[in-house]
């Protein structure tokens, strides 16, 4: 019997503010149906000036440490594409804020929205080598496009923290994985830009091509058939994309495509993404959180995961929900993370979108905005300063 390894606990955090799509639509004259129905988004999380991927990551991970302690955690992997430093891992700041032991390896991973899945798979390898160890995998991102661009409606921000270990409490991750990589310029962000560049239509085509490629490899490696999955968690840059992706997969597998079947497969995974927006590498695991929180008993059911990161890398894999998982869910905290956000008006959102530290190396404090447990209090001599509140 192979060792069962997977996700033992999962917790997420999102930002202080939320911008409803009605406010964006009122500003740019878009018919609201395009947002609510066309892309399937209702609102997006907007970080305060004193929040970033570090504060989001620490906020997501703190409840995991509070529940399980840190004795068995020997590795922290922080996956992000909204990095705050070209050299130092954001994970080191998180390690410090959480008070983790110094005998820990910490590293940052990047491949667009795929990074957290790489982190999860690398973590499984580490646990395979020493099942007494656990790995804290954190996905944390702030999705940012230019103001008044088509991508603006698909922004968002969130972090998901997953404790990966042997004999997992939530999801046992299975072999094989289906892999797909191709060099494509569908979405990218050069180091000198704070906002991503994207060819919207090309990015949707590249995503669908990757779904096919990853599934093909998965099938050739002896993976399960579509009927053996109870639900599918797709990367969700906007929730309609999960529907498009699953419809594409059904077509590719020569299945009849009925809207009800597509909704049954992906509908329960979209609740958090619909109101948080694109959280890049955290998105597919927010989909898992929504599924676990919303579905009736999934014990013993197999879930499909399709992780896509522009550029592009994709992976399809399966996971089985383990007995007793419902006792370990954080449904109330998850709902609270979403509902505690304070609505911001369009002018306030625009100011935050353009907010940046001066680059002069001086001392600059951030305005006190977040009511979360950690904040970025300022910058001094080009060093970011964080504090637990
Ligand atoms: P757009 O040009 O603003 O919108 O771009 P559109 O004209 O394509 O309309 C969108 C949908 O709304 C269409 O449906 C319309 O018909 C419908 P579809 O044809 O796609 O089924 N529509 C309406 N529906 C109901 N009532 C109405 C109405 N009007 C129109 N009144 C786009 C949309 C998503 C391209 C844009 O927002 C964008 O560029 N977003 C960013 C890129 C993106 O999210 N790409 C997704 C795939 S790539 C990916 O997932 C990776 C990523 O997460 C990055 C990473 O990996 O790091 C982005």
């Amino acid at each position: 019997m192979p060792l069962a390894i997977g996700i033992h606990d999962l917790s997420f955090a999102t930002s202080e503010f939320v911008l409803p799509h009605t406010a964006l639509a009122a500003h740019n004259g878009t018919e609201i149906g395009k947002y609510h129905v066309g892309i399937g988004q209702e609102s997006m999380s907007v970080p305060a000036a004193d929040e970033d991927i570090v504060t989001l990551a620490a906020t997501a991970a703190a409840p995991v440490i509070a529940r399980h302690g840190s004795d068995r955690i020997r590795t922290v992997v922080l996956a992000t594409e909204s990095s705050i430093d070209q050299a130092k891992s954001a994970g080191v700041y998180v390690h410090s804020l959480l008070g983790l032991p110094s005998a820990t390896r910490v590293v940052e991973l990047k491949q667009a929205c795929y990074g957290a899945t790489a982190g999860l798979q690398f973590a499984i390898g580490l646990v395979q080598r020493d099942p007494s160890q656990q790995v804290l995998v954190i996905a944390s991102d702030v999705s940012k496009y230019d103001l008044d661009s088509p991508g603006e409606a698909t922004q968002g921000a969130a972090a998901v923290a997953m404790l990966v270990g042997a004999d997992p409490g939530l999801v046992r991750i299975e072999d094989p994985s289906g892999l797909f990589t191709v060099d494509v310029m569908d979405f990218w962000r050069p180091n000198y830009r704070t906002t991503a560049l994207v060819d919207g239509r090309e990015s949707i085509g590249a995503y669908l091509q990757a779904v096919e490629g990853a599934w093909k490899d998965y099938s050739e490696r002896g993976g399960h058939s579509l009927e053996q999955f109870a639900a599918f968690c797709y990367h969700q840059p906007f929730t309609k994309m999960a529907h498009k992706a699953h419809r594409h997969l059904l077509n590719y597998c020569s299945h009849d495509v009925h809207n009800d079947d597509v909704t049954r497969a992906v509908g329960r995974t979209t609740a958090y993404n619909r109101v948080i927006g694109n959280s890049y590498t955290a998105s597919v695991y927010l989909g898992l959180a929504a599924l676990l929180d919303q579905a009736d008993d999934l014990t013993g059911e197999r879930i499909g995961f399709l992780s896509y990161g522009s550029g592009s890398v994709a992976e399809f894999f399966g996971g089985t929900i383990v007995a007793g998982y419902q006792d370990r869910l954080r449904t109330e905290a998850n709902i609270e993370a979403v509902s505690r956000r304070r609505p911001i008006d369009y002018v306030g959102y625009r100011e935050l979108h353009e907010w940046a530290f001066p680059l002069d190396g001086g001392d600059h404090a951030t305005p006190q905005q977040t009511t979360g447990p950690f904040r970025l209090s300022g910058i001094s001599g080009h060093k970011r300063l964080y504090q637990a509140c």
Side-chain angles (χ1 to χ4, degrees):
M1 185 80 171
L3 183 63
I5 305 175
I7 303 169
H8 191 53
D9 193 6
L10 186 155
S11 157
F12 78 77
T14 186
S15 62
E16 180 71 18
F17 297 117
V18 58
L19 180 76
H21 276 76
T22 45
L24 183 60
H27 162 76
N28 62 20
T30 297
E31 154 64 33
I32 194 64
K34 173 168 168 180
Y35 294 151
H36 287 174
V37 182
I39 60 170
Q41 291 304 126
E42 260 173 50
S43 57
M44 53 194 184
S45 285
V46 177
D50 51 352
E51 292 179 322
D52 68 2
I53 55 158
V54 169
T55 63
L56 290 176
T59 305
V64 174
I65 303 301
R67 186 185 274 180
H68 305 276
S70 57
D71 293 356
R72 294 175 61 189
I73 298 175
R74 298 269 297 163
T75 304
V76 176
V77 177
L78 193 145
T80 187
E81 61 173 295
S82 344
S83 196
I84 41 122
D85 196 291
Q86 300 282 14
K88 179 166 173 162
S89 165
V92 174
Y93 295 107
V94 176
H95 172 276
S96 167
L97 287 171
L98 296 176
L100 298 181
S102 59
T104 310
R105 79 164 65 79
V106 181
V107 71
E108 184 169 311
L109 279 186
K110 175 184 70 185
Q111 176 23 60
C113 303
Y114 168 73
T117 298
L120 173 63
Q121 295 294 357
F122 297 166
I124 289 169
L126 286 169
V127 174
Q128 191 81 51
R129 195 169 73 174
D130 177 359
S132 71
Q133 294 186 19
Q134 294 174 326
V135 180
L136 181 60
V137 177
I138 311 174
S140 187
D141 266 315
V142 175
S143 162
K144 206 168 167 187
Y145 295 92
D146 285 344
L147 291 170
D148 301 316
S149 70
E152 186 180 18
T154 62
Q155 299 175 116
V160 171
M162 296 182 282
L163 190 62
V164 178
D167 194 15
L170 296 178
V171 189
R172 193 174 66 237
I173 303 297
E174 300 169 344
D175 275 339
S177 269
L179 305 176
F180 181 79
T181 291
V182 65
D183 183 1
V184 54
M185 291 303 284
D186 60 330
F187 164 105
W188 68 106
R189 183 169 68 82
N191 286 344
Y192 50 82
R193 285 184 62 98
T194 56
T195 50
L197 295 164
V198 65
D199 180 334
R201 285 285 128 196
E202 167 138 9
S203 71
I204 292 172
Y207 182 131
L208 297 178
Q209 185 198 5
V211 169
E212 254 178 71
W215 177 263
K216 181 169 179 290
D217 187 50
Y218 177 76
S219 301
E220 287 170 1
R221 285 170 183 273
H224 298 280
S225 62
L226 278 185
E227 300 74 28
Q228 291 172 287
F229 292 91
F232 293 80
C233 295
Y234 287 90
H235 166 54
Q236 295 172 37
F238 49 95
T239 62
K240 202 62 180 293
M241 191 67 221
H243 293 257
K244 281 182 194 292
H246 196 62
R247 205 171 285 127
H248 189 81
L249 184 59
L250 290 172
N251 260 319
Y252 178 71
C253 296
S254 306
H255 282 241
D256 292 338
V257 180
H258 300 294
N259 282 344
D260 287 354
D261 294 339
V262 175
T263 303
R264 218 179 348 267
V266 305
R268 292 165 296 178
T269 70
T270 59
Y272 296 139
N273 287 284
R274 189 173 169 85
V275 292
I276 286 176
N278 195 353
S279 56
Y280 289 158
T281 194
S283 149
V284 64
Y285 299 101
L286 278 183
L288 172 63
L291 175 68
L292 296 179
D293 285 349
Q294 306 244 321
D296 295 336
D297 192 6
L298 285 169
T299 304
E301 300 281 7
R302 179 171 294 107
I303 310 301
F305 294 84
L306 187 286
S307 177
Y308 174 75
S310 283
S312 71
V313 177
E315 177 161 347
F316 184 92
F317 60 97
T320 301
I321 309 297
V322 304
Y325 80 94
Q326 283 165 313
D327 300 334
R328 300 171 193 120
L329 295 181
R330 298 179 178 275
T331 310
E332 265 180 44
N334 293 345
I335 291 168
E336 168 68 11
V338 168
S339 59
R340 70 179 286 280
R341 294 172 302 169
R342 290 188 279 151
I344 191 168
D345 63 16
Y346 185 79
V347 173
Y349 147 75
R350 216 171 158 103
E351 273 171 23
L352 277 174
H353 191 281
E354 300 302 281
W355 194 90
F357 282 118
L359 303 178
D360 59 8
D363 296 343
H364 302 286
T366 47
Q368 173 90 47
Q369 292 180 336
T370 184
T371 53
F374 302 100
R375 66 183 293 265
L376 169 64
S377 56
I379 192 167
S380 174
H382 296 293
K383 295 174 191 157
R384 293 171 91 83
L385 307 172
Y386 291 97
Q387 62 179 205
C389 305

